[in-house]
Amino acid sequence: MFRVQLRNELLKLFGKKRTYIGFGAFLLAQNAMLLSFHFSHWRVRLEKILELNGYPIYDFISALTVAIIMLFPQITMLMPLYACLVGGDLVAKEYEDGTLRMILSRPISRFRLILVKWCAGVIFSIILVISLGVMALVFARLWFPWGGLFVFIPEPEHIFSVFDSATGLKLYMVAHIFLSINAATMMTIAFMFGCFNVKPAAATILGLSFLLLNLVFENLPFMQDYRQYFLIHHLRIWICVFGQPVNWMRIIESLIVIFTFNLTTLIIGMIGFHIRDIKS
Amino acid sequence: MGTLIEINNVCKKFGKRVAVNDVSFSVQNGEIFGLLGHNGAGKSTIIGMMLGQVWADSGEIKLFKSNIASERENALKKVGAIFETPAFYEYLSAWKNLEILSYYSAPTPQERIKEVIDWVGLTGCEHLKVKTYSHGMRMRLALAQALLPDPDLLILDEPGEGLDPEGIAEMRHTILRLNNELGLTIFLSSHFLNEVEQLCSRIAVLKNGKLIFDGKLSFIKERYIWYRLIVNDFQKAVDLLKTNGLIQEYRDSLILPSPNIKLPELLKFLIHNGFEVSEFCRNEETLESFYLSLMHKEEKTNINLTVQSN
């Protein structure tokens, strides 16, 4: 039954046009970035960094390198927006539309309903990130040759790494596993707000505000020593996979924090949903 | 004849506002039960509590002997519900909507979905998107989703809202069919007193969250026999009749004689006191007149009128 209920939730989710806004936005953003990368000084700067460090330019100005560069603005700006949009909609939109009352006149428990919806949200987050990664690589390949991967992230992770194309592709895929976890976490925050008596837009805005405040506080100069207390710090594990050597302890620690955070958020949402009155 | 719905001393507050105040009643198997009340009287709150969507502050609600708060699955297994404005996934077909909703109850075979679509008369339109449906078709679809789990009890919250006279007549006909052909117990809340009078065997009336009447419709008609009295000075006549304990109540040109008062004696009394009686006849009590008289009474009188009849 759970499997069929989950399938039906996905059917509802992917039957809506607004679900695809995120995918469309990624498509446009990636092509716009590729154009600017191709015709701006961005590329020259990257070539200079590689040259100064003694690496051959043409091996590393590749589809993989460009795909990684394209990920940053999308992950900072677009991914939270679309993950929160869907997360905020899952419960709150059904309440607003009145379909939640129809569902809750049936013998399904509120906890089970929330669990099914959350699982659907997680699957959406995974699909969103996979699409983002595949689209970025495919479009980058249309403009740039296949080659090694060069990753340069000065702050805050201090990463300067080069990989051959096979290792680069493998790491690119591993990074997307962690990005899926990030998207699911962002979705879960908005989902939790949506479980309370709020409008879908309010749940999305609250989710985004939570993430934004995290980012702002983490970057305050006097908070440098307390970074590990902010969720955003832990959501950067996808970058850590490009470190040489990989700091697995940091990754495991952050994964535990993210897992605990998601569990807590989900439980708060479930309790909030359980105790509230569903009225027209 | 078993009890399907038991509501015992239920109270519910929204903030400081009392929505439902110590309400108790029960519904028997096979009945068509009507819940009446003004806007904000607490009808939808009671239905919400019956379906486990609104939590009662105190009291107990049982459906099929199972407590809705602690045994939700058992309580709602054989229940179908339709709301005032049925909401569906507009971008999906009626069939997909039914499939999705059915799986919140139990696995439902495709044949059953086909059967209910046939029953409500939507065959041929089941694969159209719901956004193309008219209000009447939506109501039929709402009925179809309520019938999917093969219910024994159907809860209808303001079922005739937004329907034209033809739609209302069709709805009445359908409710009677559901009760007669499928043997369903029907619990409905409505503003349409005429429809309730034609459909229901028993009613409960709420006023400001309080139950002010619970009884059989036949009981109302037998218990409250009003008479039309046309005299030269109605007010003076009723004042005199009331002072002498000959009538219980009066309104407009109607009087309700006190129990055990013989009508010829009452008439003789009026004539003896110099009144010119030009008309005196029995006035059939309608649900509307009964309901309005309940609504216009003072709170104190209403409590006295609360009747528990089986």
Side-chain angles (χ1 to χ4, degrees), chain A:
Chain A
M1 273 288 273
F2 188 86
R3 199 178 51 83
V4 186
Q5 285 168 352
L6 180 60
R7 189 202 64 192
N8 287 340
E9 280 303 325
L10 290 168
L11 191 75
K12 285 194 275 179
L13 186 60
F14 286 98
K16 278 191 286 193
K17 279 181 189 151
R18 59 192 282 162
T19 305
Y20 298 97
I21 296 173
F23 296 96
F26 281 139
L27 200 81
L28 284 173
Q30 283 171 352
N31 282 292
M33 276 188 274
L34 277 167
L35 272 172
S36 65
F37 190 81
H38 203 72
F39 296 110
S40 71
H41 293 293
W42 207 14
R43 181 182 176 145
V44 181
R45 245 185 63 205
L46 200 68
E47 285 172 355
K48 240 179 208 169
I49 296 168
L50 279 167
E51 218 169 21
L52 285 170
N53 285 279
Y55 292 104
I57 301 164
Y58 297 104
D59 282 358
F60 294 104
I61 301 290
S62 66
L64 268 172
T65 304
V66 173
I68 286 285
I69 291 169
M70 284 200 301
L71 276 181
F72 285 98
Q74 291 181 88
I75 281 155
T76 323
M77 308 293 289
L78 295 179
M79 196 173 83
L81 180 65
Y82 298 113
C84 286
L85 185 72
V86 168
D89 262 13
L90 277 166
V91 177
K93 189 81 174 75
E94 287 233 35
Y95 176 66
E96 193 181 61
D97 292 346
T99 45
L100 196 60
R101 271 195 93 191
M102 301 281 271
I103 296 171
L104 284 177
S105 64
R106 302 193 167 264
I108 185 169
S109 80
R110 292 194 188 193
F111 286 125
R112 189 187 175 105
L113 180 65
I114 287 297
L115 194 63
V116 171
K117 285 189 169 293
W118 180 76
C119 289
V122 169
I123 292 172
F124 166 83
S125 306
I126 294 168
I127 293 173
L128 184 75
V129 170
I130 291 172
S131 315
L132 165 76
V134 171
M135 280 194 297
L137 202 56
V138 168
F139 286 120
R141 180 66 189 89
L142 292 177
W143 292 73
F144 293 91
W146 189 250
L149 169 65
F150 167 51
V151 185
F152 175 51
I153 305 159
E155 282 290 332
E157 304 297 332
H158 310 292
I159 286 171
F160 186 103
S161 306
V162 282
F163 306 96
D164 61 72
S165 56
T167 316
L169 182 64
K170 208 160 67 186
L171 291 175
Y172 183 80
M173 289 195 285
V174 174
H176 278 79
I177 295 172
F178 293 124
L179 280 173
S180 300
I181 296 171
N182 288 4
T185 306
M186 291 164 183
M187 182 282 299
T188 306
I189 298 166
F191 181 80
M192 176 200 71
F193 288 118
C195 289
F196 292 89
N197 193 6
V198 297
K199 296 263 176 204
T204 304
I205 292 166
L206 284 167
L208 284 172
S209 305
F210 178 87
L211 291 167
L212 199 64
L213 281 173
N214 243 273
L215 187 69
V216 170
F217 274 93
E218 193 215 11
N219 283 295
L220 289 175
F222 50 89
M223 287 290 182
Q224 296 296 309
D225 296 336
Y226 304 103
R227 275 189 163 163
Q228 68 273 23
Y229 295 110
F230 293 96
L231 181 69
I232 291 290
H233 168 79
H234 298 286
L235 294 183
R236 281 202 199 94
I237 45 169
W238 74 275
I239 294 171
C240 297
V241 299
F242 299 110
Q244 283 181 318
V246 177
N247 186 352
W248 285 109
M249 274 316 288
R250 154 81 202 277
I251 291 176
I252 291 166
E253 184 191 280
S254 288
L255 280 176
I256 292 169
V257 171
I258 293 169
F259 174 76
T260 315
F261 177 86
N262 277 324
L263 189 66
T264 311
T265 314
L266 181 63
I267 290 171
I268 292 172
M270 277 180 163
I271 294 169
F273 186 70
H274 187 75
I275 58 173
R276 71 183 271 207
D277 292 323
I278 310 291
K279 258 196 120 232
S280 58

Side-chain angles (χ1 to χ4, degrees), chain B residues 292-304:
Chain B
L292 291 175
S293 71
L294 279 180
M295 286 296 138
H296 294 144
K297 276 182 200 306
E298 293 299 315
E299 191 73 10
K300 204 173 161 187
T301 327
N302 287 335
I303 294 163
N304 294 337

